[in-house]
Amino acid sequence: MAFRGFLPMMNRCLVRRAVAETKTAGGIMLPETSQSKLNIGEVLAIGEGQRVENGSLIPMSVSVGEKVLLPEFGGSEIELEGEKFMLYRDLDFLGKFH
Amino acid sequence: MAFRGFLPMMNRCLVRRAVAETKTAGGIMLPETSQSKLNIGEVLAIGEGQRVENGSLIPMSVSVGEKVLLPEFGGSEIELEGEKFMLYRDLDFLGKFH
Amino acid sequence: MAFRGFLPMMNRCLVRRAVAETKTAGGIMLPETSQSKLNIGEVLAIGEGQRVENGSLIPMSVSVGEKVLLPEFGGSEIELEGEKFMLYRDLDFLGKFH
Amino acid sequence: MAFRGFLPMMNRCLVRRAVAETKTAGGIMLPETSQSKLNIGEVLAIGEGQRVENGSLIPMSVSVGEKVLLPEFGGSEIELEGEKFMLYRDLDFLGKFH
Amino acid sequence: MAFRGFLPMMNRCLVRRAVAETKTAGGIMLPETSQSKLNIGEVLAIGEGQRVENGSLIPMSVSVGEKVLLPEFGGSEIELEGEKFMLYRDLDFLGKFH
Amino acid sequence: MAFRGFLPMMNRCLVRRAVAETKTAGGIMLPETSQSKLNIGEVLAIGEGQRVENGSLIPMSVSVGEKVLLPEFGGSEIELEGEKFMLYRDLDFLGKFH
Amino acid sequence: MAFRGFLPMMNRCLVRRAVAETKTAGGIMLPETSQSKLNIGEVLAIGEGQRVENGSLIPMSVSVGEKVLLPEFGGSEIELEGEKFMLYRDLDFLGKFH
């Protein structure tokens, strides 16, 4: 299932990174610095899975719509229709939220 | 089985690290320095296991609730609902207590 | 299927890199610097696939004519009949556009 | 079979290191320096074995009670109930004494 | 099939490197510097193929007489009867010309 | 088969290193320097063999009593009952003498 | 088949290196410097072959008596009965002469 016509390859996943609240509950703008980058993201599209040595395909361990805990490092940033997203391999996710 | 809605992935395990007594038996506060970080932790949640080359899944070698001896290094620290936990792969645990 | 008589080997793919518009809609030439190198390319020819340990062939994950998202680094530049192309392994593509 | 409630994991083994005689036969205390650390140890507890690529378990090559020749380097030191022990993987032992 | 009595081993291939025209169409000698080393070569002899882990032989992916695109680096230079040739493994060829 | 109660593990072998003649045929002591360390040794005890990925055991390629050509580097020195021996893996031997 | 009682192990081969003519056809001694070390050698003895992961034996790719093209680097020098020979693994040979 592609996202905006884009389909990740192998065991890669397209992820939109959650952004911390920029306003307090009372609506006051938080300074940029305190807008911490959350390591949480939503899976928007997934590849078909990784082929291993004997050629068989390892099924993906996340599905579209799941909330995942991102590793501190790694992943590559891409731009689709002017918006920034991240690409990770499913192996890299630390966990997911149910 | 998730912990606070969080489910580790692959062969990762969520661990709460045991903290050394901060008071002597008589209730006197121990100075911070002597509160040694114990390398013992409790397993709170585990992933489904590691997929190996032929795609099969290696079952986890620890289960939720077990007390484990943590390696001196490694693991990644994560925060859930304001509390700090550690994530380890089950391969990294040195042993467990029965 | 060769391209101009050239057939990539193994899991390599011949790619023509898309080039950003050099003129504004109104036809004014954009300065060289702003002609950003798009990381998008078109697959012109593909190899037969990669042989793995047990000798079997892993089928290619892209086909001729598909639009792919190129990695930021890697790939080798080659010249055919005076025109420059890129060679990538299919594993390296980040994703494809449908 | 745990030792003081501790069970090593995978192919790890709990070892008590033999200590050289601190007194001569005549009972005279040997200086610290000459108390050479013997590279010999006794196996107190063993893990279930190492899982290999296809998921099968490789049986342990030592059993509890055996005397083993320790490698010069490696192993990790742990403390149980105030006493110091070593943890090695069975692959690391150079040999055993019958 | 040996070339001048020489048979490459494993998945190695003996290659004669194509040399750029040294004269213009009109017959004027081109200066040495402009005689660019083409990365194209002809396969003169091939080994029996590479043995993989399970002992089976992976068939060669080029045959004698084919024109191949050489990688920019790698290969080893050898001399047979006073003439210089290159030895490459078939994996290293970027592609071939039909 | 153990040697002085010592049994090497895995594919390790206990070896007594041959020492060059310290006297000429006529009985004159050779200076230390000319007593070259021969890279030849006798196999005194062998392990059960190396376990490979699928858990099977690779039989040893030398047997007790054989004379072997030792590699220039590698091996570990151990002491049994006051005498120095060497431990090598059978893979490391360059050859054997019949 | 041993050579002077020496049998290489695994996939190693005993090789006598060919030496360039030290005299011109007319019998005049060539200076040492011009006696180029030829990268050609004759196979004098071979091991039983290399054991791979699943324990099976990969047959040797050269036989005793064959002339081989030696790699520029690698191999180890050994001495048998005062004469110097080289030991290579059969994988290292670049090719052979028929």
Side-chain angles (χ1 to χ4, degrees):
Chain A
M1 222 179 54
F3 174 83
R4 298 189 187 171
F6 176 73
L7 191 66
M9 288 188 64
M10 310 272 163
N11 60 350
R12 294 186 182 87
C13 312
L14 186 68
V15 168
R16 173 184 281 130
R17 200 183 199 112
V19 183
E21 291 312 322
T22 52
K23 287 187 196 147
T24 64
I28 304 161
M29 274 302 293
L30 284 167
E32 176 81 31
T33 49
S34 80
Q35 282 171 26
S36 68
K37 251 193 355 182
L38 292 186
N39 281 344
I40 295 177
E42 184 193 349
V43 177
L44 303 174
I46 59 174
E48 57 167 7
Q50 178 74 22
R51 278 205 191 277
V52 288
E53 261 307 315
N54 59 13
S56 66
L57 210 58
I58 293 206
M60 293 297 276
S61 54
V62 290
S63 27
V64 172
E66 287 197 298
K67 291 256 173 314
V68 286
L69 184 63
L70 306 175
E72 221 176 321
F73 307 104
S76 18
E77 193 180 72
I78 70 166
E79 208 175 287
L80 293 174
E81 297 170 11
E83 192 186 343
K84 286 198 168 130
F85 300 94
M86 293 294 288
L87 267 176
Y88 291 95
R89 292 182 188 267
D90 70 334
L91 306 171
D92 299 334
F93 296 133
L94 298 182
K96 49 189 172 180
F97 295 91
H98 278 208
Chain B
M1 223 180 54
F3 175 83
R4 298 188 186 171
F6 176 72
L7 192 65
M9 289 189 62
M10 309 273 163
N11 60 350
R12 292 185 182 88
C13 313
L14 187 69
V15 167
R16 173 184 282 129
R17 198 182 199 113
V19 182
E21 289 312 322
T22 52
K23 287 186 199 150
T24 64
I28 303 160
M29 274 301 294
L30 284 168
E32 175 81 30
T33 49
S34 79
Q35 282 172 27
S36 67
K37 252 192 356 181
L38 292 187
N39 281 343
I40 295 177
E42 184 193 350
V43 177
L44 302 174
I46 59 174
E48 59 168 6
Q50 178 75 19
R51 278 202 191 278
V52 288
E53 261 307 316
N54 58 14
S56 66
L57 209 59
I58 294 206
M60 294 296 277
S61 54
V62 290
S63 27
V64 172
E66 286 197 299
K67 291 254 172 318
V68 286
L69 184 62
L70 306 175
E72 221 176 319
F73 307 104
S76 15
E77 193 180 73
I78 70 166
E79 208 174 288
L80 294 174
E81 297 170 11
E83 192 186 344
K84 286 198 168 138
F85 299 94
M86 293 294 288
L87 266 177
Y88 291 94
R89 292 183 188 264
D90 69 334
L91 306 172
D92 298 334
F93 296 133
L94 298 182
K96 49 188 173 180
F97 296 91
H98 279 206
Chain C
M1 222 178 58
F3 174 83
R4 297 190 187 170
F6 175 73
L7 190 67
M9 288 189 63
M10 310 272 164
N11 59 350
R12 294 185 181 90
C13 312
L14 186 70
V15 168
R16 174 184 282 129
R17 201 182 197 113
V19 184
E21 290 312 322
T22 52
K23 288 188 196 145
T24 65
I28 303 161
M29 275 300 292
L30 283 167
E32 175 80 30
T33 49
S34 81
Q35 282 170 26
S36 68
K37 249 191 1 182
L38 291 186
N39 280 343
I40 295 178
E42 184 193 348
V43 177
L44 302 174
I46 59 174
E48 58 169 6
Q50 178 74 21
R51 279 204 191 278
V52 288
E53 260 308 316
N54 60 13
S56 65
L57 210 58
I58 294 208
M60 294 297 276
S61 55
V62 290
S63 27
V64 172
E66 287 197 296
K67 292 256 172 317
V68 286
L69 184 63
L70 306 174
E72 220 177 321
F73 307 105
S76 18
E77 193 180 71
I78 69 166
E79 208 174 287
L80 294 174
E81 297 171 10
E83 192 187 344
K84 286 202 166 114
F85 300 94
M86 293 293 288
L87 267 177
Y88 291 95
R89 292 181 188 269
D90 70 334
L91 306 170
D92 299 335
F93 296 133
L94 299 182
K96 48 189 172 179
F97 295 91
H98 279 208
Chain D
M1 224 180 55
F3 175 82
R4 296 190 187 171
F6 175 74
L7 191 65
M9 289 189 62
M10 310 272 162
N11 59 351
R12 292 183 182 89
C13 312
L14 186 69
V15 168
R16 173 183 282 129
R17 199 182 199 115
V19 183
E21 289 313 321
T22 53
K23 286 187 199 147
T24 64
I28 303 161
M29 274 301 293
L30 284 169
E32 176 81 31
T33 49
S34 80
Q35 282 173 25
S36 66
K37 253 193 354 181
L38 292 187
N39 281 342
I40 295 177
E42 185 192 350
V43 176
L44 303 174
I46 59 175
E48 58 167 6
Q50 179 73 20
R51 277 204 192 278
V52 288
E53 260 307 316
N54 58 14
S56 65
L57 210 58
I58 295 207
M60 294 296 277
S61 55
V62 290
S63 27
V64 172
E66 287 198 298
K67 292 254 172 316
V68 285
L69 184 62
L70 307 174
E72 222 177 317
F73 306 105
S76 15
E77 194 181 72
I78 70 167
E79 207 175 289
L80 294 174
E81 296 170 11
E83 193 186 343
K84 287 199 167 131
F85 300 94
M86 295 292 288
L87 267 176
Y88 292 95
R89 292 182 189 266
D90 69 335
L91 307 171
D92 299 334
F93 296 133
L94 298 182
K96 48 189 173 178
F97 296 90
H98 277 208
Chain E
M1 220 178 62
F3 175 82
R4 296 189 187 171
F6 175 73
L7 191 65
M9 288 189 63
M10 311 272 162
N11 59 352
R12 294 183 181 90
C13 311
L14 186 69
V15 168
R16 175 184 281 128
R17 201 183 197 113
V19 183
E21 290 315 320
T22 52
K23 288 188 195 145
T24 64
I28 303 160
M29 275 300 293
L30 284 168
E32 175 82 29
T33 50
S34 80
Q35 281 171 27
S36 68
K37 251 190 3 181
L38 292 186
N39 281 343
I40 295 177
E42 184 193 349
V43 177
L44 303 174
I46 59 174
E48 58 168 6
Q50 179 73 22
R51 278 201 191 281
V52 289
E53 261 308 315
N54 59 12
S56 66
L57 209 58
I58 295 206
M60 294 296 276
S61 54
V62 290
S63 28
V64 173
E66 287 197 297
K67 292 253 172 320
V68 286
L69 184 63
L70 306 174
E72 220 178 319
F73 307 104
S76 17
E77 194 181 70
I78 69 166
E79 208 175 287
L80 294 174
E81 297 171 9
E83 192 186 346
K84 287 201 167 120
F85 300 94
M86 293 294 287
L87 267 176
Y88 292 96
R89 292 181 189 270
D90 70 334
L91 307 171
D92 299 335
F93 296 132
L94 298 182
K96 48 189 174 179
F97 296 91
H98 280 208
Chain F
M1 222 178 57
F3 176 83
R4 296 190 188 171
F6 175 73
L7 191 66
M9 288 189 64
M10 311 272 163
N11 58 351
R12 293 183 181 89
C13 312
L14 187 69
V15 168
R16 173 183 282 130
R17 200 182 198 113
V19 183
E21 289 314 320
T22 51
K23 286 186 196 147
T24 64
I28 303 160
M29 274 302 292
L30 284 169
E32 175 81 31
T33 48
S34 79
Q35 282 171 25
S36 66
K37 250 192 357 181
L38 293 186
N39 281 341
I40 296 178
E42 185 192 351
V43 177
L44 302 173
I46 59 174
E48 57 168 7
Q50 179 72 22
R51 276 202 194 280
V52 288
E53 260 308 315
N54 59 13
S56 65
L57 210 58
I58 294 207
M60 294 296 277
S61 54
V62 290
S63 26
V64 172
E66 287 198 299
K67 292 255 174 315
V68 286
L69 183 63
L70 307 174
E72 222 177 319
F73 307 104
S76 17
E77 193 181 70
I78 71 165
E79 207 175 291
L80 294 174
E81 296 172 12
E83 193 186 344
K84 287 201 166 122
F85 300 94
M86 293 293 288
L87 268 177
Y88 292 94
R89 292 183 189 264
D90 70 335
L91 307 171
D92 299 335
F93 296 133
L94 299 182
K96 47 190 172 179
F97 296 91
H98 278 209
Chain G
M1 220 178 60
F3 175 83
R4 296 189 187 171
F6 176 72
L7 192 65
M9 288 189 63
M10 310 272 162
N11 59 350
R12 294 184 181 88
C13 311
L14 186 69
V15 168
R16 174 185 280 130
R17 201 183 197 113
V19 182
E21 290 314 320
T22 52
K23 288 186 193 147
T24 64
I28 303 162
M29 275 301 294
L30 284 168
E32 175 81 31
T33 49
S34 80
Q35 280 171 27
S36 68
K37 252 191 358 180
L38 293 185
N39 281 344
I40 295 177
E42 184 193 351
V43 177
L44 303 174
I46 59 174
E48 57 168 7
Q50 179 72 23
R51 276 201 194 282
V52 288
E53 260 308 314
N54 60 12
S56 65
L57 210 58
I58 294 207
M60 294 296 277
S61 54
V62 290
S63 28
V64 172
E66 287 198 298
K67 292 254 173 316
V68 287
L69 184 62
L70 307 174
E72 221 177 318
F73 307 105
S76 17
E77 195 181 70
I78 71 165
E79 207 174 290
L80 294 174
E81 297 171 10
E83 193 185 345
K84 286 201 167 119
F85 301 94
M86 293 293 288
L87 268 177
Y88 291 95
R89 292 184 189 266
D90 70 335
L91 307 171
D92 300 334
F93 296 133
L94 299 182
K96 47 189 173 180
F97 296 91
H98 278 207

